[in-house]
Amino acid sequence: MSQWTASVGAQQLARLLDAQGGDGAVTPLGGRRVPAYRSLADRIRLLVLEGRVPVAARLPAERELAAALSVSRTTVAAAYEALRGEGFLESRRGAGSWTAVPAGSPLPSRALDPLPPDATGSMIDLGCAALTAPEPWLTHAFRGALEQLPPYAHTHGDYPAGLPALRQALADRYTARGVPTMPEQIMVTTGAMGAVGAICRLLAGRGERVAVESPSYANVLQLMREAGARLVPVGMADRLAGWDLPAWRQVLRDAAPRLAYVIADFHNPTGSLAPEGQRRELVEAARAAGTVLVADETMADLVLEPGLEMPRPVCAFDPAGSTVVTVGSASKSFWAGLRIGWVRAAPEVIRSLVAARPYADLGTPVLEQLAVAWLLDGGGWDAAVAVRRDEVRVSRDAVVDALERRLPDWEFGVPRGGLTLWVRTGGLSGSRIAQVGERLGVRVPSGPRFGVDGAFEGYVRLPFTVAAPVADEAVARLAEAARLVATGAPVAVDAPRTFVA
């Protein structure tokens, strides 16, 4: 790492250290009293590993941090020196010191790949947060789409902005949510990933800084890496409390990213729901910094707590449409096989996206667009989503119950919606648990997939997308994987396990 991409102020770092608990002086550990500098170094290292302080973030000068913590400068200097020796800090005269991960640490090398359907007999796949198709609504939707197809079959079939009927239906849904929207503000895409990819190609050239939550959705992080973006991670707030606004303000001010990508509604992977006040403040901060805020709403329909009043959409705080670009999708709330996503933005942004689209793909399949339009226009979208919520709520509770019984040392917060649980693995390596778990017949993604440059080694993501009996068996296999990792015992698998719900 040759340079820092963000910075952490002395007061901000002191606040993060204070949130960990401890006094920053001496810490009992196994009956021994740890020197103050060692305690401070350990706590900073933990902040890096958990993504609360990003990798490649410039740390405050020794004198500034000493004053903020009310400790001696010698203590801070010794802590920094210990971190440098362990590979968690790099320094250069005149440039300061910035966080790092030791050489050889596992870094996320790819995103989340779906498991082939023919492997599901021997493997419980918790790798992808996706659900099976809802019936009978899927069948009804395609029957309705086939009835409406003949007029479109007499055209060339390329609609770079999307079918007018679907653009109108999506605009109407935003208007019903309190955000007046015209069809000219909508572009239909091939899934949410197609939407994010188009936005990045248009608005963030190679080498541009893009601020992202830490952790964030693994596939989008990988997309941005491959597009040449310089990712600037911003830690999430603790205990499903949404965004860390002071950290966001500092990154937007200091790094001046061209784009910022956020998931306000049941964040993937943590499940947090950003309060309305945070949404307003982040939009204001992005507008002041000249940063385009990409708000991913793919989980927004999956409200699992009855009576939960959802905050207004992020785009509601940007009436002019100059700051917020919204991404939506049918994949999570209905079925990923439809591959229908969309962008909501100012008309001039949509026109630019449409003009650039022929160089990536000419459009989204017509039949799938007609199916989604049929559902949204009274064909059963709301009824299907209501059933989906009930199914997911049962699955979430089953996963939570199994974890509490079989892995009581693992820590997590229970989200009020979405599809994912972000789990701290009791001090064990999430990468090792994922590796051993796959040999035992359960597939989960480890924490570093969702971070930037090696953070979150002590986490795994567990989607609640399987039935209760499968959830219990999956956690049983994870518990066995955790036992093997903790003891260092070899993994003995005589034959592929099978499990039928």
Side-chain angles (χ1 to χ4, degrees):
M1 187 70 63
S2 61
Q3 60 183 1
W4 52 274
T5 58
S7 61
V8 180
Q11 293 299 328
Q12 180 186 358
L13 183 54
R15 176 172 57 84
L16 292 170
L17 290 166
D18 182 65
Q20 287 182 329
D23 58 9
V26 292
T27 304
L29 183 63
R32 296 180 295 110
R33 292 179 65 82
V34 178
Y37 83 88
R38 183 69 264 172
S39 174
L40 179 57
D42 289 345
R43 292 161 68 198
I44 293 175
R45 184 184 67 246
L46 183 60
L47 289 174
V48 174
L49 288 173
E50 295 193 344
R52 300 288 290 129
V53 170
V55 176
R58 188 181 185 184
L59 294 187
E62 296 168 2
R63 189 186 304 276
E64 294 174 356
L65 184 58
L69 296 176
S70 300
V71 300
S72 72
R73 182 179 177 181
T74 302
T75 296
V76 176
Y80 278 15
E81 183 59 33
L83 290 168
R84 277 190 288 269
E86 297 165 358
F88 286 94
L89 198 68
E90 296 182 9
S91 303
R92 189 172 65 243
R93 186 177 297 278
S97 299
W98 56 92
T99 57
V101 291
S105 292
L107 299 182
S109 58
R110 60 189 176 95
L112 305 183
D113 304 322
L115 186 70
D118 58 5
T120 56
S122 59
M123 183 73 67
I124 299 175
D125 185 16
L126 298 181
C128 295
L131 298 156
T132 56
E135 290 290 16
W137 294 280
L138 179 67
T139 298
H140 292 337
F142 273 98
R143 285 175 178 165
L146 285 170
E147 292 175 358
Q148 298 173 6
L149 182 62
Y152 296 95
H154 295 290
T155 73
H156 50 62
D158 291 333
Y159 294 86
L163 293 185
L166 181 53
R167 297 176 76 192
Q168 182 67 63
L170 291 168
D172 290 346
R173 287 188 74 83
Y174 278 105
T175 299
R177 293 170 66 193
V179 187
T181 303
M182 304 178 295
E184 292 79 8
Q185 292 178 263
I186 301 292
M187 182 177 85
V188 180
T189 62
T190 307
M193 291 294 290
V196 175
I199 294 165
C200 288
R201 286 192 297 272
L202 179 68
L203 299 177
R206 183 168 292 274
E208 293 271 11
R209 289 177 175 173
V210 177
V212 295
E213 296 153 323
S214 183
S216 187
Y217 179 41
N219 285 335
V220 166
L221 294 180
Q222 188 67 10
L223 181 154
M224 291 178 174
R225 288 187 190 101
E226 293 181 357
R230 298 172 60 193
L231 300 182
V232 182
V234 186
M236 296 289 291
D238 284 332
R239 305 181 189 281
L240 303 182
W243 297 316
D244 185 337
L245 262 299
W248 268 104
R249 292 192 195 95
Q250 183 159 358
V251 165
L252 292 172
R253 182 180 65 247
D254 295 347
R258 181 70 182 90
L259 288 181
Y261 170 78
V262 298
I263 307 172
D265 302 290
F266 310 123
H267 176 262
N268 186 356
T270 69
S272 68
L273 177 66
E276 189 162 302
Q278 289 188 4
R279 300 173 187 228
R280 179 187 295 105
E281 290 185 44
L282 186 58
V283 171
E284 292 172 353
R287 183 182 297 116
T291 298
V292 175
L293 192 62
V294 181
D296 186 332
E297 289 189 337
T298 53
M299 296 282 193
D301 277 339
L302 293 173
V303 182
L304 303 184
E305 293 300 326
L308 175 63
E309 184 176 349
M310 286 291 288
R312 284 181 289 172
V314 176
C315 58
F317 304 101
D318 180 41
S322 59
T323 298
V324 178
V325 175
T326 302
V327 170
S329 170
S331 295
K332 301 300 185 185
S333 50
F334 195 80
W335 186 46
L338 280 175
R339 306 311 310 143
I340 297 295
W342 55 85
V343 178
R344 182 202 180 274
E348 59 270 20
V349 175
I350 296 296
R351 287 193 293 269
S352 297
L353 287 169
V354 171
R357 185 168 189 175
Y359 306 106
D361 71 285
L362 293 175
T364 302
V366 170
L367 189 64
E368 282 81 348
Q369 292 189 69
L370 287 172
V372 175
W374 187 90
L375 286 164
L376 293 175
D377 286 333
W381 176 277
D382 291 334
V385 170
V387 171
R388 179 71 88 201
R389 289 170 176 165
D390 291 340
E391 294 171 345
V392 174
R393 186 183 305 111
V394 171
S395 297
R396 179 199 63 182
D397 295 346
V399 172
V400 168
D401 176 69
L403 285 170
E404 290 176 343
R405 285 187 291 105
R406 297 184 180 273
L407 288 162
D409 292 338
W410 287 20
E411 302 173 39
F412 55 89
V414 181
R416 295 177 290 174
L419 291 172
T420 60
L421 205 65
W422 186 236
V423 183
R424 191 196 306 255
T425 53
L428 301 175
S429 164
S431 297
R432 284 287 295 142
I433 289 171
Q435 182 182 36
V436 174
E438 190 153 355
R439 296 188 63 188
L440 296 176
V442 60
R443 186 171 183 259
V444 298
S446 61
R449 294 285 187 89
F450 303 89
V452 177
D453 295 330
F456 306 111
E457 179 56 35
Y459 288 81
V460 295
R461 188 194 72 171
L462 300 181
F464 26 91
T465 54
V466 293
V470 184
D472 188 69
E473 175 65 16
V475 175
R477 297 182 187 185
L478 283 176
E480 175 65 7
R483 185 189 68 80
L484 293 172
V485 170
T487 60
V491 183
V493 182
D494 298 328
R497 300 187 179 197
T498 58
F499 185 81
V500 178

